[in-house]
Amino acid sequence: MQAFRAILLPLLLTSAALAAADAPELSILPESLTATAFRSFGQVVEAPADMKPTIENAILSYWGGLAKMRFHEDMEFGLFTVKARTHEVAELERHMKTPELLVGLSGDYVLVVAPHAVPKAGVAYPDPAKVKAFLVPRGKALLLAKGTWHALPFPKAPQAEFLVGFRNGTARKDLTLRPFKNRDVIKF
């Protein structure tokens, strides 16, 4: 957990530091989370209103097969707490070798994402023109596709707790953090 904190804390701090006063600013509005709107970035994990539970009895309603991940290695789960902060993003992270399961445990939040981009030559950067922000209600989970650029969640409350799951070692070996190429800042 200590190693995970050592990675997350700089992510929270560097975004504000990168947001220089003369950086180009783009504004976006967070949109409601729907499976269709989020499809380019991964899957929304929720029990569909029109779907009968896979198993149902007097004490259990279970909906199975809502999202799938394939692993040939161990998977790790972690918990993190993130604090509310200014609604602006100057950099995003991604994981190229694993999808990421993100579950908000204590409230609604906004997640900023951008689609995976393959560089024609050199280093890949997130495209600020393709950034979206989604308002994610408590009780819904997200399965981010491999390579999806994303920011740390922005809780609606002063702070929120999250469960995260991905391939073992991702936080140490498969975390790419990049500013936008022209040092853009996205505000929402």
Side-chain angles (χ1 to χ4, degrees), residues 28-97:
I28 60 174
L29 291 174
E31 57 187 88
S32 296
L33 181 69
T34 66
T36 302
F38 197 74
R39 187 167 290 134
S40 297
F41 311 104
Q43 301 171 60
V44 176
V45 184
E46 63 181 331
D50 60 349
M51 181 180 169
K52 288 184 66 171
T54 309
I55 299 170
E56 188 168 33
N57 59 40
I59 61 168
L60 171 71
S61 294
Y62 168 74
W63 289 264
L66 299 177
K68 297 183 180 181
M69 306 192 304
R70 178 171 294 180
F71 287 97
H72 300 288
E73 310 170 67
D74 288 341
M75 189 172 169
E76 74 176 73
F77 293 92
L79 295 170
F80 67 92
T81 300
V82 66
K83 294 183 179 181
R85 58 207 186 277
T86 304
H87 285 188
E88 60 183 40
V89 176
E91 62 190 1
L92 297 174
E93 69 176 75
R94 71 176 178 174
H95 316 290
M96 293 302 295
K97 298 177 184 174

Side-chain angles (χ1 to χ4, degrees), residues 120-139:
K120 293 188 179 7
V123 176
Y125 289 90
D127 183 347
K130 295 183 179 177
V131 169
K132 292 197 173 236
F134 290 95
L135 178 57
V136 183
R138 181 178 172 204

